[in-house]
Amino acid sequence: MKKEQKLILIFSIISTLAGCGFFPLAPTPPAEPPIGKNNSRIDLPDVQLISELPQFTKELNEIQIADSFNSVDPSWVIGALIEKNTGNVYPLDNFLKAGAKPKITPLSEIVFKNLIENSATAKANWLDFTKASVNSNTKAEVTVAKISNVSINSNNIDKAVIISHFKDIPKSERDKYGVIIGYSDFVLSATYFRNSGAEAIASGFGAKIEGNWYSKSENSSLQHRIIAVWSPLPYVIDAIQSPAKKDLTDSTSEAIKDGKIEIQEIQEINYIPSEF
C-alpha cells in the first residue's frame, strides 16, 4: 500500500471513531490515601504512658498530709504538733502566735504532666479522685502544679505556750514530737481521654495510644495536696529561745545537712481533731 493510501485509511478510522463519540481514556492515576477513616497519611506515634509517678517529698522532714484540702484552709497545719511514731497531727495543739503572718511565696510551677497507666492510680493515694473515671477505655492525663510555699520565722512561735505545754515532759521524751513549720501547696487535675477506636478520625485534641485514637473527654475537679515541712520539737524550742530571728524551714534544713539533727522519716501524717 502506498504511503498516501495509508494516511487516508488512518484519517478515515479517526473520523469514524470521532463520529461515534469514542476517545481512548488516559490511564487513571493511583488513588490518594483517604482522609478520615483509615487515614494512611497520618502516622502518629503512640504516646508512652507513665507508670512511675514523681515523689513530691524531697527532704527527710517533708511529709504529705492525708487530706485533699478541697474545703479546708491548709494554713491550720502551721505550728501544729505531730507525733512522729504514729504520724498523727494535732491541730488543736498549735503553737503559732495569735496574729502571726506566715511568709507565702506564690509559685506557678508545673512539676508533672503526663498520660498515666491506669495501674499508676493504685500506687498513689493522691490519685484517688481519678479511680472512678479511669478504665480499660479511658486514660487520665494528670497535671500537678506547685502553687505556693509557706514558711514561718522562729518569732512566730509562741514561746510561753510551747514551753508550758511540754514543761512536765522530760527532754528525752520530747524527741518523739515535731512541729509543722511550713508547707508546699500542690494542685492536681486530671483530663480524661476516651478510646474512639482505630477507625476514628484523628482530629481535635487527643492522643494515639496502643494504636487507637483517644479523644479528650472531660476535666475532673481540682484537688489540693499539702506537703508539710516539720522540725523536731527540741530544735524548735531551742530556736525560739535564741534572740536571732530564723526562718525555721531554712535553719532546720541546714541543721539536718550539718548533722546537728537526726531525722526519723515520716511517710504521711493524719489529721486528728482531738486534744493531745
Side-chain angles (χ1 to χ4, degrees), residues 57-258:
T57 54
K58 298 179 180 178
E59 305 295 337
L60 290 176
N61 65 325
E62 292 182 346
I63 42 179
Q64 179 181 318
I65 300 179
D67 194 300
S68 66
F69 287 91
N70 285 340
S71 57
V72 179
D73 183 351
S75 63
W76 63 263
V77 302
I78 295 290
L81 179 72
I82 61 173
E83 189 174 8
K84 292 157 61 176
N85 292 334
T86 62
N88 293 335
V89 56
Y90 301 93
L92 297 182
D93 291 291
N94 193 293
F95 308 115
L96 198 64
K97 281 183 179 178
K101 296 181 179 180
K103 178 183 176 183
I104 301 175
T105 304
L107 301 170
S108 180
E109 178 184 350
I110 301 297
V111 297
F112 181 83
K113 184 175 183 179
N114 274 298
L115 279 156
I116 62 172
E117 293 275 8
N118 289 357
S119 60
T121 61
K123 297 179 182 180
N125 58 13
W126 50 268
L127 287 179
D128 282 347
F129 73 104
T130 69
K131 291 180 180 178
S133 298
V134 296
N135 52 52
S136 60
N137 285 313
T138 305
K139 308 297 181 184
E141 181 185 57
V142 174
T143 301
V144 181
K146 189 176 184 180
I147 63 171
S148 67
N149 284 333
V150 179
S151 61
I152 56 173
N153 291 323
S154 54
N155 64 345
N156 293 140
I157 296 291
D158 194 318
K159 181 166 63 175
V161 171
I162 196 171
I163 291 177
S164 174
H165 196 89
F166 289 98
K167 65 180 180 180
D168 297 326
I169 298 179
K171 289 187 177 181
S172 60
E173 296 293 311
R174 293 178 183 177
D175 195 49
K176 296 179 180 179
Y177 306 100
V179 178
I180 295 178
I181 56 173
Y183 66 84
S184 295
D185 190 0
F186 292 86
V187 172
L188 287 69
S189 63
T191 300
Y192 297 110
F193 292 75
R194 302 200 189 282
N195 189 352
S196 300
E199 303 298 318
I201 298 175
S203 62
F205 192 71
K208 183 183 174 187
I209 303 173
E210 297 175 348
N212 291 324
W213 184 256
Y214 282 71
S215 300
K216 180 183 176 182
S217 174
E218 61 188 57
N219 291 328
S220 73
S221 58
L222 296 178
Q223 299 282 315
H224 280 267
R225 281 290 182 252
I226 299 299
I227 300 297
V229 182
W230 65 277
S231 184
L233 176 64
Y235 179 81
V236 174
I237 291 177
D238 287 344
I240 63 176
Q241 297 187 81
S242 170
K245 182 175 69 173
K246 299 179 180 179
D247 181 297
L248 286 176
T249 299
D250 292 341
S251 63
T252 299
S253 179
E254 291 173 5
I256 294 172
K257 292 177 181 177
D258 294 341

